Amino acid sequence: MKYGYFDDNTREYVITRPDTPYPWINYLGSEDFFGLFSNTAGGYCFYKDARLLRLTRYRYNNVPTDAGGRYFYINDDGDVWNPSWQPCRKKLERFECRHGLGYSKISSSRNGLKADHIAFVPLGETCEVHRIVMENTANATKAFSLFSFVEFCLWNANDDSQNFQRNLSIGEVEIDGGAIYHKTEYRERRNHYAMFAANRKPDGFDTDRESFIGLYDGFHEPKAVLEDRSQNSIAAGWSPIGSHRFALTLKPGEKTSIVFILGYCENPNDEKYTALHIINKAPAKRLQEKFQTDAQVDAALEKLAVYWEGLLCRFRVKSGEDKLDRMVNIWNQYQCMVTFNMSRSASYFESGIGRGMGFRDSNQDLLGFVHLVPARARARILDIAATQFPDGSAYHQYQPLTKKGNSDVGSGFNDDPLWLITGVSAYIKETGDFSILDETVPFDNEEGSEAPLFEHLRRSFNYTATHKGPHGLPLIGRADWNDCLNLNCFSETPGESFQTTANFESGVAESVLIAAIFLYTAPDFIELCRRRGEDTSEAEQSFADMKRAVDEHGWDGDWFLRAYDAYGKKIGSSECEEGQIFIEPQGFCVMAKVGTDDGRALKALDSVRERLDTEYGVMLQQPAYQTYYLTLGEVSSYPPGYKENAGIFCHNNPWISIAECEMGRGTRAFEVYRKICPAYLEEISDLHRTEPYVYSQMVAGRDAARHGEAKNSWLTGTAAWTFVNVSQHILGIKPGFDGLVIDPCIPAALKGFSVERIYRGKRVVIHVDNSAGVEKGVKSITVNGKPHSGPVTSEGELTTVNVVLG
Ligand code: GLC
Ligand code: GLC
């Protein structure tokens, strides 16, 4: 069953009933200020860091789910309802939520009143703008009240949900005209406050939650709204909120609009106050002036639309296959932007207090983002590299606000360093900007330790090359890409971390996956060395040694092995009782061209199809672990079919698809792509449950109770890897150091397509003709009418490329 539809013209997903199988959310904000916004107006917003600078409160794990957000209540002659359906859940005559690129619109009607709510973060501003347009569609005059409501978070979301003995005494607000200021902790060490302002003077307000809602009442029955009377309460401790009341009268056909700004403002330390206890509102006033009128709001929306048009025209396909086109042209790229911005910090499954930016996650996220805003990818690379340790290893995570490595989690995830090489190579291939390699970057943010970025890559490379186990394969450390394969933590204590509890260091457990990632990245590293005039012999020797180790000790007969445990026993082998075959090394070894010339690659991929494939995607491993294995760690802690224990962990499905492209099997590559692709799952929303416009981290595997049910939508490396897969391998437009390498691998049934690409600042239009009906193989290429071989560069303003497959 569907709960909406794609509107490709407006680039929106239109939700037509509010009770979706799970809250279906959107992200507002592009750079510094962000909001999570669900189809029923739930969610919260923050400035830069979801943990440290959270403006509004949100309770995860709440009952009912998704309670709390930016709510508007209408009291129409005693009939109390919300345009967003939640929280009053009154029946609406019409409901529509349009999630668009950086904004959401909710429109609904009840009893002759129509409400249009649009929410967005204007480009370059540190606020959400909410505009409510009320229209009287009845044939008699209507007098009613409109109430706004947000609940403030006391900034640090972690403390906010724990430290009640303090929190309940520190809340402070100030009121000034239509504006409510939340200034908790401003009197001491903060120089920022939040503002919830309206563009006209309200008829009443509330800032104390208990006064507005009542102590034993819920969001769905706020006392002030039911009584149709604001209390004009001034919060003193307890729970500060912001609510305005407007008494409105509309004649038949008449409309009125009110603009609300929910924003973050900062003052220099010596300009915090204008009088005792009176905060300096200058920055707030400046922000308010920008959104006083509808015309200003419309102009900001237009700017946002132009911004997204400018981004999405950088890669656009026309294939005749609607679902493919809308995912590639709109939603996949949009999700890549969101994962680049958020890493794994804030979603409806990530609380925003748990994790910072991941070293491996962020490096992978930028693979799908770098073509959109290369300059931001560049800055991100330098931030990430600055958290690397001098020996080439890396902090697993860092905090976005401080940009410092997170020592609670520490390091020892031995795949981490290699992803830096992958990220930097992708940046250079996109931009041709080799100068990034000369940027000086410190180690562990230590002043004085600066070295060129290239030196960081060398240390990444050498770290793997020199930390090897008994079979000459890389030591796995705490885990590799699979965070849950914890071969050196024999955890028996409930609650302790499988990753960071260091109770055992075998110096023996090895990862075939890290070896494959090494072999995949090494050619780029070696090429960069060569171009810098460096001696490449040592790197080439390391490559050859690793290749030999994988050949000799990484093959199991019908597929690639996964790892060796702390006792040197095989993992992911037919010798094992459970966990005989894992997806990761099959994808990555083939991507690294291991066994592509001797039949092993095809054999491995056929084994994947035979043993791991399902209707809803490729499972991570089989058979699922039925019991907990001390020697394997978290992977065996999950019930069979979930997460890393034989779930369909979408992130590495594209690796299989890329590997299939490597082997020229376009029909199969596309099948793997399609099975987890959200637009193709729209019809089964009841089963799938998460948003049909974005990828989820995991879909329950065959062993699970609800095979096909997804969880953890939005923040997943699936977005970036899928975009790499579909754009570079299936459609086959692949940036290389010297230009675009064009080599599609598509289903034989697809007779052609065209792609428009902005590459290194210039427009390239590529027409691919597959009237021959092949899956792979370029017969001829012409560039601007002339026969061509090798990478395509974009020298003129417009480069036209004609590719014939055959
Ligand atoms: C999560 C992590 C990612 C890891 C994956 C597999 O998505 O964010 O870093 O690779 O799980 O365990
Ligand atoms: C848990 C999750 C895994 C994630 C990890 C991050 O182990 O299962 O997916 O990568 O936490 O620390």
Side-chain angles (χ1 to χ4, degrees):
M1 192 183 139
K2 299 207 297 184
Y3 288 77
Y5 60 93
F6 287 93
D7 184 340
D8 294 335
N9 288 329
T10 57
R11 299 183 180 136
E12 292 166 333
Y13 190 79
V14 189
I15 300 166
T16 47
R17 51 185 283 186
D19 56 338
T20 45
Y22 207 73
W24 285 359
I25 73 162
N26 193 12
Y27 284 81
L28 317 176
S30 316
E31 288 188 8
D32 288 334
F33 192 94
F34 297 101
L36 283 68
F37 192 84
S38 76
N39 55 314
T40 57
Y44 60 96
C45 57
F46 59 92
Y47 176 65
K48 283 191 179 169
D49 187 315
R51 172 171 174 166
L52 298 176
L53 291 173
R54 195 176 295 195
L55 270 79
T56 56
R57 184 173 282 165
Y58 188 76
R59 294 170 187 79
Y60 279 85
N61 217 355
N62 209 350
V63 180
T65 195
D66 194 26
R70 300 65 144 197
Y71 288 147
F72 294 92
Y73 295 88
I74 290 159
N75 185 332
D76 175 14
D77 202 14
D79 179 33
V80 172
W81 59 285
N82 308 95
S84 55
W85 185 62
Q86 287 265 49
C88 292
R89 293 195 283 146
K90 285 285 173 62
K91 197 169 163 38
L92 301 168
E93 285 144 26
R94 174 169 175 272
F95 170 89
E96 187 183 89
C97 169
R98 290 179 171 260
H99 285 319
L101 305 177
Y103 67 87
S104 291
K105 288 182 190 172
I106 295 178
S107 313
S108 50
S109 313
R110 183 175 159 95
N111 279 339
L113 276 179
K114 179 166 180 272
D116 284 297
H117 175 186
I118 183 156
F120 70 110
V121 173
L123 282 176
E125 305 295 348
T126 60
C127 65
E128 284 182 356
V129 169
H130 295 267
R131 178 171 64 192
I132 304 289
V133 178
M134 296 298 310
E135 183 180 349
N136 181 358
T137 58
N139 39 30
T141 296
K142 271 188 170 284
F144 60 96
S145 302
L146 176 77
F147 291 80
S148 66
F149 172 79
V150 300
E151 182 177 7
F152 293 111
C153 177
L154 308 183
W155 298 113
N156 182 325
N158 208 23
D159 293 352
D160 187 66
S161 62
Q162 295 181 20
N163 196 5
F164 302 108
Q165 60 80 26
R166 169 177 161 88
N167 293 350
L168 298 179
S169 294
I170 61 175
E172 288 190 293
V173 296
E174 235 179 85
I175 318 287
D176 179 33
I180 293 165
Y181 296 94
H182 173 231
K183 57 174 188 177
T184 299
E185 290 193 340
Y186 188 79
R187 65 168 61 243
E188 23 119 352
R189 290 156 300 175
R190 295 188 184 276
N191 66 343
H192 47 261
Y193 54 83
M195 161 186 68
F196 188 37
N199 67 342
R200 56 166 110 157
K201 200 166 176 338
D203 299 295
F205 64 86
D206 273 297
T207 62
D208 171 57
R209 192 181 75 208
E210 210 174 306
S211 308
F212 178 74
I213 295 186
L215 183 58
Y216 292 103
D217 309 278
F219 290 132
H220 64 292
E221 49 188 4
K223 217 163 61 177
V225 180
L226 295 184
E227 291 171 6
D228 203 9
R229 187 162 52 92
S230 291
Q231 310 291 317
N232 296 345
S233 58
I234 307 281
W238 298 108
S239 300
I241 60 150
S243 171
H244 308 86
R245 173 177 171 267
F246 296 91
L248 302 172
T249 305
L250 293 178
K251 295 201 194 79
E254 201 185 350
K255 276 188 196 178
T256 189
S257 95
I258 306 179
V259 179
F260 297 86
I261 306 169
L262 176 58
Y264 169 94
C265 303
E266 223 172 66
N267 276 318
N269 276 332
D270 54 353
E271 293 171 24
K272 280 173 69 171
Y273 290 99
T274 52
L276 183 66
H277 301 328
I278 304 298
I279 60 175
N280 175 1
K281 302 185 184 65
K285 293 268 150 70
R286 282 198 294 273
L287 202 46
Q288 287 169 36
E289 275 157 25
K290 292 182 180 171
F291 304 102
Q292 280 306 299
T293 65
D294 283 320
Q296 287 172 309
V297 173
D298 291 337
L301 281 165
E302 179 57 26
K303 228 167 113 183
L304 191 61
V306 169
Y307 169 76
W308 273 104
E309 171 57 29
L311 294 180
L312 295 181
C313 71
R314 304 175 75 89
F315 193 108
R316 189 172 281 161
V317 65
K318 221 191 256 170
S319 73
E321 167 90 11
D322 288 351
K323 292 179 174 134
L324 173 67
D325 289 2
R326 74 168 60 109
M327 285 310 300
V328 172
N329 296 343
I330 307 170
W331 297 100
N332 195 173
Q333 297 194 64
Y334 184 55
Q335 188 176 2
C336 285
M337 166 69 92
V338 172
T339 53
F340 178 85
N341 286 333
M342 298 287 132
S343 191
R344 303 295 169 271
S345 93
S347 73
Y348 266 29
F349 301 86
E350 302 277 8
S351 62
I353 57 181
R355 301 205 238 172
M357 312 292 286
F359 193 96
R360 83 155 81 87
D361 290 333
S362 295
N363 273 307
Q364 290 173 84
D365 291 341
L366 66 85
L367 304 178
F369 170 84
V370 62
H371 70 292
L372 292 174
V373 194
R376 287 187 67 203
R378 189 183 208 271
R380 176 67 55 80
I381 286 169
L382 300 178
D383 285 349
I384 297 172
T387 68
Q388 187 178 29
F389 288 106
D391 72 350
S393 64
Y395 278 108
H396 195 47
Q397 293 169 6
Y398 71 97
Q399 287 313 121
L401 204 59
T402 62
K403 298 187 174 170
K404 293 254 163 70
N406 176 343
S407 32
D408 299 346
V409 182
S411 73
F413 296 76
N414 283 351
D415 63 317
D416 273 333
L418 291 174
W419 296 112
L420 182 65
I421 303 178
T422 319
V424 173
S425 305
Y427 169 78
I428 298 175
K429 289 174 180 176
E430 177 63 32
T431 57
D433 172 21
F434 287 88
S435 80
I436 191 174
L437 297 172
D438 298 314
E439 287 288 339
T440 54
V441 183
F443 289 97
D444 194 7
N445 280 294
E446 203 63 58
E447 218 177 300
S449 69
E450 290 79 4
L453 180 65
F454 180 75
E455 182 57 27
H456 286 252
L457 302 194
R458 193 205 314 271
R459 294 196 199 178
S460 284
F461 186 85
N462 287 341
Y463 186 85
T464 309
T466 57
H467 288 75
K468 298 202 282 201
H471 301 92
L473 294 163
L475 291 171
I476 196 167
R478 288 170 167 180
D480 59 23
W481 171 88
N482 187 334
D483 267 337
C484 298
L485 202 55
N486 314 119
L487 307 183
N488 292 312
C489 171
F490 291 9
S491 179
E492 290 186 286
T493 309
E496 78 184 5
S497 161
F498 291 101
Q499 281 89 25
T500 61
T501 305
N503 58 12
F504 188 87
E505 183 46 71
S506 65
V508 167
E510 298 165 290
S511 163
V512 176
L513 175 61
I514 300 181
I517 300 173
F518 181 86
L519 295 176
Y520 174 80
T521 44
D524 284 342
F525 176 70
I526 292 168
E527 181 60 21
L528 292 175
C529 292
R530 207 178 53 71
R531 289 181 190 229
R532 291 175 71 82
E534 306 247 350
D535 178 19
T536 58
S537 54
E538 208 179 303
E540 281 172 52
Q541 189 56 48
S542 301
F543 177 85
D545 292 345
M546 193 69 83
K547 179 79 178 21
R548 191 169 353 95
V550 174
D551 284 339
E552 286 174 7
H553 303 291
W555 179 248
D556 192 56
D558 285 313
W559 57 79
F560 292 98
L561 271 177
R562 178 63 178 84
Y564 288 91
D565 75 8
Y567 302 105
K569 264 182 52 194
K570 291 175 183 170
I571 294 175
S573 157
S574 56
E575 290 170 18
C576 306
E577 253 173 70
E578 296 170 332
Q580 293 178 336
I581 172 169
F582 280 69
I583 189 174
E584 308 99 307
Q586 320 315 326
F588 242 98
C589 284
V590 180
M591 285 160 68
K593 300 189 168 53
V594 183
T596 46
D597 52 359
D598 60 14
R600 282 178 301 159
L602 283 177
K603 214 169 196 182
L605 293 173
D606 288 343
S607 297
V608 165
R609 188 175 195 167
E610 197 180 302
R611 291 167 181 260
L612 298 178
D613 205 12
T614 77
E615 199 183 336
Y616 306 115
V618 185
M619 295 176 287
L620 196 142
Q621 110 268 7
Q622 277 290 300
Y625 295 113
Q626 299 293 334
T627 50
Y628 176 58
Y629 292 88
L630 207 54
T631 52
L632 298 178
E634 189 171 357
V635 67
S636 59
S637 76
Y638 286 111
Y642 292 101
K643 298 279 288 181
E644 283 88 339
N645 189 14
I648 297 158
F649 211 94
C650 299
H651 187 135
N652 40 39
N653 275 237
W655 299 350
I656 297 300
S657 189
I658 295 171
E660 290 287 359
C661 288
E662 184 67 39
M663 302 313 294
R665 301 199 292 196
T667 304
R668 172 64 181 155
F670 195 80
E671 183 185 39
V672 174
Y673 169 80
R674 178 183 48 76
K675 281 184 177 178
I676 62 158
C677 184
Y680 289 86
L681 304 171
E682 196 190 5
E683 300 283 347
I684 57 159
S685 287
D686 283 316
L687 172 65
H688 187 73
R689 296 191 71 190
T690 53
E691 297 90 336
Y693 40 91
V694 290
Y695 286 91
S696 291
Q697 179 206 60
M698 191 230 21
V699 174
R702 201 164 47 207
D703 303 274
R706 283 189 285 271
H707 180 33
E709 179 185 66
K711 291 196 184 97
N712 305 0
S713 56
W714 284 97
L715 303 186
T716 163
T718 315
W721 274 107
T722 300
F723 192 71
V724 169
N725 175 33
V726 71
S727 63
Q728 301 186 21
H729 298 274
I730 294 179
L731 300 172
I733 318 291
K734 186 177 180 176
F737 290 124
D738 297 312
L740 292 171
V741 180
I742 303 179
D743 192 12
C745 184
I746 54 179
L750 185 61
K751 294 298 182 238
F753 62 88
S754 49
V755 166
E756 283 193 47
R757 183 78 164 81
I758 306 282
Y759 184 63
R760 302 190 182 176
K762 307 272 165 52
R763 204 157 147 248
V764 185
V765 179
I766 302 151
H767 302 286
V768 176
D769 172 354
N770 188 31
S771 37
V774 299
E775 300 198 341
K776 194 174 183 171
V778 171
K779 199 163 103 188
S780 68
I781 299 191
T782 60
V783 173
N784 293 336
K786 296 199 195 83
H788 183 93
S789 64
V792 173
T793 49
S794 53
E795 269 133 35
E797 278 317 307
L798 172 66
T799 309
T800 306
V801 186
N802 284 295
V803 181
V804 180
L805 303 186

